[in-house]
Amino acid sequence: MTRLGIVGGAGRMGQALAHELAKEADFEVVSLVDVNEPASLATARWYSSIEELSGPDVDVIIDFSVPEVTRSVLQWCLANNVALVCGTTGISADEIASWEKEIVSSNGHVLFSPNFSLGAVLAQRFAAQAAPYFERVEIIELHHDRKIDAPSGTSIAAANMIGDARRKAGLSAQIDPTQHETLDHARGALGAEGVRIHSVRLPGLVAHQEILLAGPGEGLTIRHDSYDRVSFVAGVALAVRAVTSRAGLTVGLNELI
Ligand code: NAD
């Protein structure tokens, strides 16, 4: 039985994960850590800070909270020899890379993924496979209206994977034909290798992404939709089951599927 603690346990993701992971026969959700009291505790106990937790009481910490908290969660996990699965977004790639030395020197086990939806991970993989065969690529990411970071971590990761694939194929960075933006930011954010990312925030959405590839006379759109937060549960379960046997830092689910 793997005992789980969830940081951000009162949040939308924390509550969905607590509810869904408790259904798995090999998981027990024992702790919910959040500054706010969770609406539903089920079999877990509520802690208002990770420092109140006792290391021997949990096997894996799952963090879906806010970026300002993730650093202290990482340090607590390394100090207490507890594995960490982190899905909090809004943390820069440089900061995540800077964790690696500390994780390795502490013999830690950490898996960070900006997206735990298996469909989203596969969509990125397919886009990277297609990218060398098309002249241009742009990304539209669409999320609910309470998301506090933009563009999404998933779209940045997708642009990086597409950029890598284009570079490896010997393609040069995309040049934007736009010479004048009549309104600021009309062409969206500039991702890796000139891949433009456009962010939409609307009520009713969960997490959606379109990767648009185009070449002479044809286009290919790879679209993924998360209709419900339950779409992230299978990936989190996969990560929890894998993290303790993967020493150091793992970024993304690519190596797991
Ligand atoms: P949310 O705002 O509903 O939940 C965040 C929770 O963190 C809140 O309950 C808040 O009280 C809590 N929190 C704030 N400060 C804290 C602290 N000091 N200690 C403990 N808890 C604290 O947000 P959400 O929709 O549940 O998303 C949470 C994070 O997960 C976001 O970064 C979001 O982008 C990310 N997310 C990632 C994936 C993925 O697949 N990687 C999927 C969905 C959401």
Side-chain angles (χ1 to χ4, degrees), residues 7-8 10-14 33-36 48 64-66 69 87-89 113-117 144 147 149 229 232:
V7 182
R12 289 170 292 234
M13 275 305 297
V33 180
D34 203 297
V35 284
N36 296 312
S48 59
F64 278 75
S65 59
V66 288
V69 174
T88 301
T89 63
S113 180
N115 201 317
F116 281 93
S117 143
H144 57 86
K147 184 167 177 60
D149 55 313
R229 290 184 176 85
F232 303 112

Side-chain angles (χ1 to χ4, degrees), residues 5 18 36 66 81 88 100 129 132 149 165-166 168-169 177 180-181 198 204 208 226 236 243:
N36 296 312
V66 288
N81 202 20
T88 301
E100 184 150 26
Q129 200 180 350
D149 55 313
R166 286 177 60 90
K168 280 184 192 141
H180 171 68
E181 284 185 332
H198 310 271
H208 316 261
S226 279
V236 173
V243 71

Side-chain angles (χ1 to χ4, degrees), residues 20-219:
E20 295 300 319
L21 293 175
K23 295 177 186 169
E24 300 289 317
D26 53 336
F27 294 156
E28 187 184 1
V29 182
V30 292
S31 322
L32 297 183
V33 180
D34 203 297
V35 284
N36 296 312
E37 186 172 0
S40 166
L41 271 175
T43 54
R45 281 189 63 187
W46 169 43
Y47 299 85
S48 59
S49 135
I50 190 140
E51 280 75 30
E52 293 171 14
L53 260 181
S54 167
D57 290 346
V58 280
D59 301 308
V60 179
I61 288 287
I62 299 169
D63 175 25
F64 278 75
S65 59
V66 288
E68 304 78 59
V69 174
T70 299
R71 175 106 217 136
S72 59
V73 172
L74 171 68
Q75 273 158 356
W76 184 91
C77 288
L78 295 180
N80 288 279
N81 202 20
V82 172
L84 171 63
V85 169
C86 179
T88 301
T89 63
I91 306 167
S92 73
D94 285 350
E95 176 161 7
I96 291 162
S98 76
W99 296 349
E100 184 150 26
K101 211 169 152 195
E102 195 180 346
I103 294 168
V104 170
S105 65
S106 311
N107 294 320
H109 294 73
V110 178
L111 189 150
F112 169 82
S113 180
N115 201 317
F116 281 93
S117 143
L118 303 183
V121 174
L122 289 170
Q124 273 177 31
R125 189 179 291 178
F126 302 153
Q129 200 180 350
Y133 304 102
F134 291 86
E135 280 174 11
R136 301 195 63 85
V137 189
E138 302 213 6
I139 298 173
I140 305 172
E141 57 94 349
L142 311 91
H143 282 81
H144 57 86
D145 59 337
R146 282 175 291 172
K147 184 167 177 60
I148 58 172
D149 55 313
S152 68
T154 304
S155 65
I156 296 170
N160 289 340
M161 279 182 72
I162 290 163
D164 278 353
R166 286 177 60 90
R167 236 187 344 265
K168 280 184 192 141
L171 298 180
S172 48
Q174 295 184 108
I175 307 295
D176 192 335
T178 312
Q179 295 190 2
H180 171 68
E181 284 185 332
T182 312
L183 294 177
D184 285 350
H185 313 302
R187 292 287 293 126
L190 191 54
E193 296 290 301
V195 176
R196 295 274 166 180
I197 306 175
H198 310 271
S199 298
V200 177
R201 299 290 177 263
L202 288 172
L205 298 177
V206 179
H208 316 261
Q209 181 163 281
E210 281 185 11
I211 300 168
L212 299 97
L213 304 109
E218 66 174 335

